[in-house]
Every structure is written in C-alpha cells, then in structure tokens.
Coordinates of all heavy atoms in Angstrom, one line a residue:
M317 N 70.6 113.2 95.9 CA 70.8 112.0 95.2 C 71.6 111.0 96.1 O 72.7 111.6 96.7 CB 71.5 112.2 93.9 CG 70.8 113.0 93.0 SD 71.5 113.0 91.2 CE 73.0 114.0 91.8
T318 N 71.3 109.8 96.3 CA 72.1 108.9 97.0 C 72.1 107.5 96.4 O 71.5 107.1 95.5 CB 71.3 108.5 98.4 OG1 70.1 108.0 98.2 CG2 71.2 109.9 99.3
F319 N 73.2 106.8 96.8 CA 73.3 105.3 96.5 C 73.3 104.6 98.0 O 73.3 105.4 99.0 CB 74.4 105.0 95.7 CG 75.7 105.2 96.4 CD1 76.4 104.1 97.0 CD2 76.3 106.5 96.4 CE1 77.7 104.4 97.6 CE2 77.6 106.7 97.0 CZ 78.2 105.6 97.6
T320 N 73.2 103.4 98.0 CA 73.2 102.6 99.3 C 74.5 101.9 99.4 O 75.0 101.3 98.4 CB 72.1 101.8 99.6 OG1 72.1 100.7 98.5 CG2 70.8 102.5 99.4
F321 N 75.1 101.9 100.6 CA 76.3 101.1 101.0 C 75.9 100.2 102.1 O 75.6 100.7 103.2 CB 77.5 101.9 101.3 CG 78.6 101.1 101.8 CD1 79.2 100.3 100.9 CD2 78.9 101.2 103.1 CE1 80.3 99.5 101.4 CE2 80.0 100.4 103.6 CZ 80.6 99.6 102.8
D322 N 75.8 99.0 101.9 CA 75.3 98.0 102.9 C 74.0 98.5 103.5 O 73.8 98.4 104.7 CB 76.3 97.8 103.9 CG 77.6 97.0 103.4 OD1 77.5 96.4 102.4 OD2 78.6 97.0 104.1
G323 N 73.2 98.9 102.7 CA 71.8 99.4 103.0 C 71.7 100.8 103.6 O 70.6 101.2 103.8
R324 N 72.8 101.5 103.8 CA 72.8 102.8 104.3 C 72.9 103.8 103.2 O 73.8 103.7 102.3 CB 74.0 102.9 105.2 CG 74.5 104.3 105.6 CD 75.7 104.1 106.5 NE 76.3 105.4 106.6 CZ 77.5 105.7 107.2 NH1 78.1 104.7 107.7 NH2 78.0 106.9 107.4
P325 N 72.0 104.9 103.1 CA 72.1 105.9 102.1 C 73.4 106.7 102.2 O 73.8 107.1 103.3 CB 70.9 106.7 102.3 CG 70.5 106.5 103.8 CD 71.0 105.1 104.1
V326 N 74.1 106.9 101.1 CA 75.2 107.6 101.1 C 75.1 108.8 99.9 O 74.7 108.4 98.8 CB 76.5 106.8 100.6 CG1 77.8 107.6 100.5 CG2 76.7 105.7 101.7
P327 N 75.3 110.0 100.2 CA 75.2 111.1 99.1 C 76.1 111.0 98.0 O 77.2 110.4 98.2 CB 75.4 112.4 99.9 CG 75.3 112.0 101.4 CD 75.6 110.6 101.5
T328 N 75.6 111.2 96.8 CA 76.4 111.3 95.6 C 76.0 112.4 94.7 O 74.8 112.8 94.8 CB 76.4 110.0 94.9 OG1 77.3 110.1 93.7 CG2 75.1 109.6 94.3
D329 N 76.9 112.9 94.0 CA 76.5 114.1 92.9 C 76.3 113.4 91.6 O 76.1 114.1 90.6 CB 77.5 115.2 93.0 CG 78.9 114.7 92.7 OD1 79.2 113.5 92.3 OD2 79.8 115.5 92.8
G330 N 76.6 112.1 91.5 CA 76.5 111.4 90.2 C 77.7 111.4 89.4 O 77.8 111.1 88.2
R331 N 78.8 112.2 90.0 CA 80.1 112.4 89.2 C 81.2 111.8 89.8 O 82.2 111.3 89.3 CB 80.4 113.8 89.0 CG 79.2 114.4 88.0 CD 79.7 115.8 87.6 NE 79.9 116.6 88.9 CZ 79.2 117.7 89.2 NH1 78.3 118.1 88.5 NH2 79.6 118.4 90.3
R332 N 81.2 111.9 91.2 CA 82.4 111.3 92.0 C 82.4 109.8 92.1 O 81.3 109.1 91.9 CB 82.4 111.9 93.4 CG 81.2 111.5 94.3 CD 81.3 112.0 95.6 NE 81.4 113.5 95.8 CZ 81.5 114.1 96.8 NH1 81.3 113.5 98.0 NH2 81.6 115.4 96.9
T333 N 83.5 109.2 92.3 CA 83.6 107.7 92.4 C 83.0 107.3 93.7 O 82.8 108.0 94.7 CB 85.1 107.4 92.4 OG1 85.8 107.8 93.5 CG2 85.9 107.8 91.2
I334 N 82.8 106.0 93.7 CA 82.2 105.3 95.0 C 83.2 105.5 96.1 O 82.8 105.8 97.3 CB 82.0 103.8 94.7 CG1 80.9 103.6 93.7 CG2 81.8 103.2 96.1 CD1 80.6 102.2 93.1
A335 N 84.5 105.5 95.9 CA 85.5 105.7 97.0 C 85.4 107.0 97.5 O 85.4 107.2 98.7 CB 86.8 105.3 96.5
A336 N 85.3 108.0 96.6 CA 85.3 109.4 97.1 C 84.0 109.7 97.9 O 84.0 110.4 98.8 CB 85.2 110.4 95.9
A337 N 82.9 109.2 97.3 CA 81.6 109.4 98.1 C 81.7 108.7 99.5 O 81.2 109.1 100.5 CB 80.4 108.7 97.2
L338 N 82.2 107.4 99.5 CA 82.3 106.7 100.8 C 83.2 107.5 101.8 O 82.8 107.6 102.9 CB 82.7 105.3 100.7 CG 81.9 104.4 99.9 CD1 82.5 103.0 99.7 CD2 80.5 104.2 100.7
L339 N 84.2 108.0 101.3 CA 85.2 108.7 102.2 C 84.6 110.0 102.7 O 84.6 110.4 103.8 CB 86.6 109.1 101.5 CG 87.4 107.8 101.3 CD1 88.7 108.2 100.4 CD2 87.9 107.2 102.6
A340 N 83.8 110.7 101.8 CA 83.1 111.9 102.2 C 82.1 111.7 103.3 O 81.8 112.5 104.0 CB 82.5 112.5 101.0
A341 N 81.6 110.4 103.2 CA 80.5 110.0 104.2 C 81.2 109.4 105.5 O 80.4 109.0 106.4 CB 79.6 109.0 103.6
G342 N 82.5 109.4 105.5 CA 83.1 109.0 106.7 C 83.4 107.5 106.8 O 83.8 107.0 107.9
I343 N 83.3 106.9 105.7 CA 83.3 105.3 105.6 C 84.8 105.1 105.0 O 85.0 105.5 103.9 CB 82.2 104.7 104.8 CG1 80.9 105.0 105.4 CG2 82.5 103.1 104.5 CD1 79.7 104.8 104.4
R344 N 85.6 104.4 105.7 CA 87.0 104.2 105.4 C 87.3 102.8 104.9 O 88.4 102.6 104.3 CB 87.9 104.6 106.5 CG 87.7 106.1 106.8 CD 88.5 106.5 108.1 NE 89.9 106.1 107.8 CZ 91.0 107.1 107.6 NH1 90.6 108.3 107.6 NH2 92.1 106.7 107.5
S345 N 86.5 101.9 105.1 CA 86.8 100.5 104.6 C 85.5 99.8 104.1 O 84.4 100.1 104.6 CB 87.3 99.6 105.7 OG 86.5 99.3 106.7
W346 N 85.7 99.0 103.0 CA 84.6 98.4 102.4 C 85.0 97.0 101.8 O 84.3 96.6 100.9 CB 83.9 99.4 101.3 CG 85.0 99.9 100.4 CD1 85.6 99.4 99.3 CD2 85.6 101.2 100.6 NE1 86.5 100.3 98.8 CE2 86.5 101.4 99.5 CE3 85.3 102.3 101.4 CZ2 87.2 102.6 99.3 CZ3 86.1 103.5 101.3 CH2 86.9 103.6 100.2
R347 N 85.9 96.4 102.2 CA 86.4 95.1 101.8 C 87.1 94.5 103.0 O 87.8 95.2 103.8 CB 87.4 95.2 100.6 CG 87.8 93.9 100.1 CD 88.6 93.9 98.8 NE 90.1 94.2 99.0 CZ 91.0 93.5 99.4 NH1 90.7 92.1 99.6 NH2 92.2 93.9 99.6
R348 N 87.0 93.1 102.9 CA 87.7 92.4 104.0 C 88.6 91.4 103.3 O 88.1 90.8 102.3 CB 86.7 91.7 105.1 CG 86.0 92.8 105.9 CD 85.2 92.0 107.0 NE 83.9 91.4 106.4 CZ 82.7 92.1 106.2 NH1 82.8 93.3 106.7 NH2 81.8 91.5 105.8
T349 N 89.7 91.2 103.9 CA 90.8 90.3 103.3 C 90.4 88.7 103.5 O 89.6 88.5 104.4 CB 92.1 90.5 103.7 OG1 92.1 90.3 105.1 CG2 92.6 91.9 103.4
R350 N 90.8 88.0 102.5 CA 90.5 86.6 102.6 C 91.2 85.9 104.0 O 90.6 85.2 104.6 CB 91.0 85.8 101.4 CG 90.7 84.4 101.3 CD 91.2 83.7 100.1 NE 90.6 84.4 98.9 CZ 91.0 84.6 97.8 NH1 92.2 84.2 97.5 NH2 90.4 85.2 96.9
V351 N 92.4 86.4 104.1 CA 93.1 85.9 105.4 C 93.0 87.0 106.4 O 93.4 88.1 106.3 CB 94.5 85.6 105.1 CG1 95.4 85.1 106.4 CG2 94.7 84.6 103.9
G352 N 92.4 86.6 107.5 CA 92.3 87.4 108.6 C 91.1 88.4 108.7 O 90.9 89.2 109.6
A353 N 90.4 88.5 107.5 CA 89.2 89.4 107.4 C 89.6 90.9 107.8 O 88.9 91.6 108.5 CB 88.1 88.9 108.3
R354 N 90.7 91.3 107.4 CA 91.2 92.7 107.8 C 90.5 93.7 106.9 O 90.3 93.5 105.7 CB 92.7 92.8 107.5 CG 93.6 91.9 108.5 CD 94.9 92.0 108.3 NE 95.7 91.1 109.2 CZ 96.1 89.9 108.8 NH1 96.1 89.5 107.6 NH2 96.8 89.3 109.7
P355 N 90.2 94.8 107.4 CA 89.5 95.8 106.6 C 90.3 96.6 105.6 O 91.6 96.7 105.9 CB 89.0 96.8 107.7 CG 90.0 96.7 108.8 CD 90.4 95.1 108.8
R356 N 89.8 96.8 104.4 CA 90.6 97.4 103.3 C 89.6 98.6 102.8 O 88.5 98.3 102.7 CB 91.0 96.5 102.2 CG 92.1 95.5 102.7 CD 93.4 96.2 103.0 NE 94.4 95.3 103.3 CZ 94.9 94.9 104.5 NH1 94.1 95.4 105.5 NH2 95.8 94.1 104.7
G357 N 90.2 99.6 102.2 CA 89.5 100.6 101.6 C 90.3 101.1 100.4 O 90.8 100.3 99.6
I358 N 90.6 102.4 100.3 CA 91.3 102.9 99.2 C 92.8 102.9 99.6 O 93.2 103.1 100.7 CB 90.9 104.4 98.8 CG1 91.4 104.7 97.5 CG2 91.3 105.3 99.9 CD1 90.6 106.0 96.9
F359 N 93.7 102.7 98.6 CA 95.1 102.6 98.8 C 95.7 103.5 97.7 O 96.2 104.6 97.9 CB 95.7 101.2 98.8 CG 97.1 101.2 99.1 CD1 97.6 101.6 100.4 CD2 98.0 100.7 98.1 CE1 99.0 101.5 100.6 CE2 99.4 100.6 98.4 CZ 99.9 101.1 99.7
C360 N 95.8 102.9 96.5 CA 96.6 103.7 95.4 C 95.5 104.9 94.8 O 96.1 105.8 94.5 CB 97.0 102.8 94.3 SG 95.6 102.2 93.2
G361 N 94.3 104.5 94.8 CA 93.3 105.6 94.2 C 93.4 105.8 92.7 O 92.6 106.7 92.2
I362 N 94.1 104.9 92.1 CA 94.2 105.1 90.6 C 93.9 103.7 89.8 O 94.4 103.7 88.7 CB 95.5 105.7 90.1 CG1 96.7 104.8 90.7 CG2 95.6 107.2 90.6 CD1 98.0 105.2 90.2
G363 N 93.3 102.7 90.4 CA 93.0 101.5 89.8 C 94.1 100.5 89.6 O 94.0 99.6 88.8
I364 N 95.2 100.6 90.5 CA 96.3 99.7 90.3 C 96.2 98.5 91.3 O 96.5 97.3 91.0 CB 97.5 100.5 90.4 CG1 97.7 101.6 89.4 CG2 98.7 99.4 90.3 CD1 97.7 101.0 87.9
C365 N 96.0 98.9 92.6 CA 96.2 97.9 93.7 C 95.0 96.9 94.1 O 95.2 95.9 94.5 CB 96.5 98.6 94.8 SG 95.1 99.4 95.7
F366 N 93.8 97.2 93.5 CA 92.6 96.3 93.7 C 92.3 96.2 95.2 O 91.7 95.3 95.6 CB 92.8 95.0 93.1 CG 92.7 95.1 91.6 CD1 93.8 95.5 90.8 CD2 91.6 94.6 90.9 CE1 93.7 95.6 89.5 CE2 91.4 94.7 89.5 CZ 92.5 95.2 88.8
D367 N 92.8 97.1 96.0 CA 92.5 97.0 97.5 C 91.1 97.5 97.7 O 90.5 97.2 98.8 CB 93.4 97.9 98.3 CG 94.3 97.1 99.2 OD1 94.4 95.9 99.1 OD2 94.9 97.8 100.1
C368 N 90.5 98.2 96.7 CA 89.2 99.0 97.0 C 88.0 98.2 96.5 O 86.9 98.9 96.3 CB 89.3 100.4 96.5 SG 89.4 100.3 94.6
L369 N 88.0 96.9 96.3 CA 86.9 96.2 95.6 C 85.6 96.3 96.5 O 85.7 96.2 97.7 CB 87.3 94.8 95.4 CG 88.5 94.5 94.5 CD1 88.8 93.0 94.4 CD2 88.3 95.2 93.1
V370 N 84.6 96.5 95.7 CA 83.2 96.5 96.3 C 82.3 95.6 95.3 O 82.7 95.4 94.2 CB 82.6 97.8 96.4 CG1 83.2 98.6 97.6 CG2 82.7 98.6 95.1
R371 N 81.2 95.4 95.8 CA 80.0 94.7 94.9 C 79.1 95.9 94.6 O 78.7 96.6 95.3 CB 79.3 93.6 95.7 CG 78.3 92.9 94.9 CD 77.7 91.9 95.7 NE 78.6 90.9 96.3 CZ 79.0 89.8 95.7 NH1 78.4 89.5 94.6 NH2 79.8 88.9 96.2
V372 N 78.9 96.1 93.3 CA 78.1 97.1 92.8 C 76.8 96.5 91.9 O 77.2 95.8 91.0 CB 78.8 98.1 91.8 CG1 77.9 99.2 91.4 CG2 80.0 98.7 92.6
N373 N 75.8 96.7 92.4 CA 74.4 96.3 91.8 C 74.6 94.7 91.6 O 74.2 94.2 90.5 CB 74.2 96.9 90.5 CG 74.0 98.5 90.8 OD1 73.3 98.8 91.8 ND2 74.3 99.3 89.9
G374 N 75.2 94.0 92.5 CA 75.4 92.5 92.4 C 76.6 92.1 91.7 O 76.9 90.9 91.7
T375 N 77.4 92.9 91.0 CA 78.6 92.6 90.4 C 79.8 92.7 91.2 O 80.0 93.8 91.8 CB 78.8 93.4 89.1 OG1 77.6 93.3 88.3 CG2 80.0 92.9 88.3
P376 N 80.4 91.6 91.6 CA 81.7 91.7 92.4 C 82.9 92.3 91.9 O 82.9 92.5 90.7 CB 81.9 90.2 92.8 CG 81.4 89.4 91.7 CD 80.3 90.3 91.1
S377 N 83.8 92.6 92.6 CA 85.2 93.0 92.3 C 85.2 94.3 91.4 O 85.9 94.3 90.4 CB 85.8 91.8 91.4 OG 86.0 90.8 92.3
Q378 N 84.4 95.3 91.7 CA 84.4 96.6 91.1 C 85.4 97.5 91.9 O 85.2 97.5 93.1 CB 83.0 97.1 91.0 CG 82.0 96.3 90.3 CD 82.4 96.0 88.8 OE1 82.5 97.0 88.2 NE2 82.7 94.8 88.5
R379 N 86.3 98.2 91.2 CA 87.1 99.1 91.8 C 86.5 100.4 92.2 O 86.1 101.2 91.4 CB 88.4 99.3 91.1 CG 89.3 98.1 90.9 CD 90.4 98.3 90.0 NE 89.9 98.1 88.6 CZ 90.6 98.2 87.6 NH1 91.9 98.5 87.5 NH2 90.0 98.0 86.4
A380 N 86.4 100.5 93.5 CA 85.6 101.8 94.0 C 86.3 103.0 93.5 O 85.6 104.1 93.5 CB 85.4 101.7 95.5
C381 N 87.6 103.0 93.3 CA 88.3 104.3 93.0 C 88.1 104.7 91.5 O 88.5 105.7 91.1 CB 89.8 104.2 93.3 SG 90.7 103.0 92.3
L382 N 87.4 103.7 90.7 CA 87.3 104.0 89.3 C 85.8 104.2 88.9 O 85.4 104.8 87.9 CB 87.8 102.9 88.4 CG 89.4 102.8 88.6 CD1 89.8 101.6 87.7 CD2 90.1 104.1 88.3
V383 N 85.0 103.4 89.7 CA 83.5 103.4 89.3 C 82.7 104.6 89.9 O 82.8 104.9 91.1 CB 82.8 102.1 89.7 CG1 81.4 102.0 89.5 CG2 83.6 100.9 89.3
V384 N 82.0 105.2 89.1 CA 81.1 106.4 89.5 C 80.1 106.0 90.3 O 79.4 104.9 89.9 CB 80.8 107.3 88.2 CG1 79.7 108.3 88.6 CG2 82.0 107.8 87.5
A385 N 79.8 106.7 91.4 CA 78.6 106.3 92.3 C 77.4 107.0 91.6 O 77.2 108.2 91.8 CB 78.8 106.9 93.7
R386 N 76.6 106.2 91.0 CA 75.3 106.7 90.4 C 74.1 106.6 91.4 O 74.1 105.7 92.1 CB 75.0 105.9 89.1 CG 76.0 106.0 88.1 CD 75.8 105.0 86.9 NE 75.8 103.5 87.6 CZ 75.5 102.6 86.9 NH1 75.1 102.6 85.7 NH2 75.4 101.3 87.5
P387 N 73.3 107.7 91.3 CA 72.0 107.6 92.2 C 71.4 106.1 92.0 O 71.1 105.8 90.9 CB 71.2 108.8 91.7 CG 72.2 109.7 91.2 CD 73.3 108.8 90.5
G388 N 70.9 105.6 93.1 CA 70.2 104.4 93.1 C 71.1 103.1 93.1 O 70.6 102.0 93.3
D389 N 72.3 103.3 92.9 CA 73.3 102.0 92.9 C 73.1 101.4 94.3 O 73.0 102.0 95.3 CB 74.8 102.5 92.6 CG 75.1 102.6 91.2 OD1 74.2 102.1 90.3 OD2 76.2 103.2 90.9
V390 N 73.4 100.1 94.3 CA 73.4 99.4 95.5 C 74.9 98.8 95.6 O 75.4 97.9 94.9 CB 72.5 98.1 95.4 CG1 72.6 97.3 96.7 CG2 71.0 98.6 95.3
V391 N 75.7 99.3 96.6 CA 77.1 99.0 96.9 C 77.1 98.3 98.1 O 76.4 98.6 99.1 CB 77.9 100.3 96.8 CG1 79.3 99.9 97.1 CG2 77.8 101.1 95.6
E392 N 77.9 97.2 98.0 CA 78.0 96.3 99.2 C 79.5 96.1 99.6 O 80.3 95.9 98.6 CB 77.3 94.9 99.0 CG 75.8 95.2 98.8 CD 75.2 93.9 98.2 OE1 75.5 93.6 97.1 OE2 74.4 93.3 98.9
T393 N 79.7 95.8 100.8 CA 81.0 95.3 101.2 C 81.5 94.1 100.4 O 80.7 93.2 100.2 CB 81.1 94.9 102.6 OG1 80.8 96.2 103.4 CG2 82.4 94.4 103.1
H394 N 82.8 94.1 99.9 CA 83.2 93.0 99.3 C 84.0 92.1 100.2 O 85.0 92.4 100.8 CB 84.3 93.5 98.2 CG 84.7 92.4 97.2 ND1 85.4 91.4 97.3 CD2 84.2 92.3 95.8 CE1 85.5 90.6 96.3 NE2 84.8 91.2 95.3
D395 N 83.4 90.8 100.3 CA 83.9 89.9 101.2 C 84.5 88.8 100.4 O 84.0 88.1 99.6 CB 82.8 89.2 102.0 CG 83.3 88.4 103.1 OD1 84.4 87.9 103.1 OD2 82.5 88.3 104.2
D396 N 85.9 88.6 100.7 CA 86.7 87.7 99.8 C 86.4 86.2 100.1 O 86.9 85.3 99.5 CB 88.2 87.9 100.0 CG 88.7 89.2 99.2 OD1 87.9 89.6 98.5 OD2 89.7 89.7 99.5
G397 N 85.6 86.0 101.2 CA 85.0 84.6 101.4 C 85.9 83.8 102.2 O 85.7 82.6 102.4
G398 N 87.0 84.3 102.7 CA 87.9 83.4 103.4 C 87.4 83.2 104.8 O 86.3 83.7 105.2
P399 N 88.1 82.4 105.6 CA 87.8 82.1 106.9 C 87.8 83.3 107.8 O 88.6 84.2 107.6 CB 88.9 81.1 107.4 CG 90.0 81.3 106.5 CD 89.5 81.8 105.2
R400 N 86.9 83.3 108.7 CA 86.9 84.4 109.7 C 87.8 84.2 110.8 O 88.1 83.1 111.2 CB 85.4 84.7 110.2 CG 84.4 84.7 109.0 CD 83.9 86.1 108.7 NE 84.8 87.1 108.2 CZ 85.0 87.2 106.9 NH1 84.7 86.3 106.0 NH2 85.8 88.2 106.4
P401 N 88.2 85.3 111.4 CA 89.3 85.0 112.5 C 88.5 84.5 113.7 O 87.4 84.6 113.8 CB 89.8 86.4 112.9 CG 88.9 87.4 112.2 CD 88.1 86.7 111.1
Ligands
FES637 S1 92.6 102.0 95.5 FE1 93.9 100.8 94.4 S2 92.6 100.0 92.7 FE2 91.4 101.4 93.8

C-alpha cells in the first residue's frame, strides 16, 4: 500500500501518520518557510508547532504528525508562497 509524496510512491500501512511514513522513507522535510524557503519537517511531533504542514488531497495546512497516511492519498510539499531566496 502506498500514497504519493510529490508524485513519488511512499509505503504506508494505513495506520501510521504521514510524518512517520515520510521519515521511514528517508524524507526529512516537506514544507518550505515563507521567508528564505527553508526546509521544515517534523519538530514537536504532537500537533503543537505546525512545522510539519503538508497538502493532503488538495487540502493545505494539514499536520503531517497527526494525519494518517491512507493508501492512495496525494501528499504534496507545503509551500508557504513567500519569495524564493
Ligand atoms: S511536528 Fe509539530 S505540529 Fe506536527
């Protein structure tokens, strides 16, 4: 079972979070900051910091540390839309 992250298949068991699945696949960042486009991934891991935002099935600002990675989901890098360096 897989979901896609920026078009790349990522394994999931249908129970782990998107952050857990991405980390298990060796992917450590999935958001870029508005200022400086700095990479961000997981920080607190418990839904507090909002560092881990991703776009899931077209819905922006989903916390990867809380949302379960379901088979077939389309997960994309969350770009805050700021100026690029
Ligand atoms: S890592 Fe902090 S909210 Fe997800």
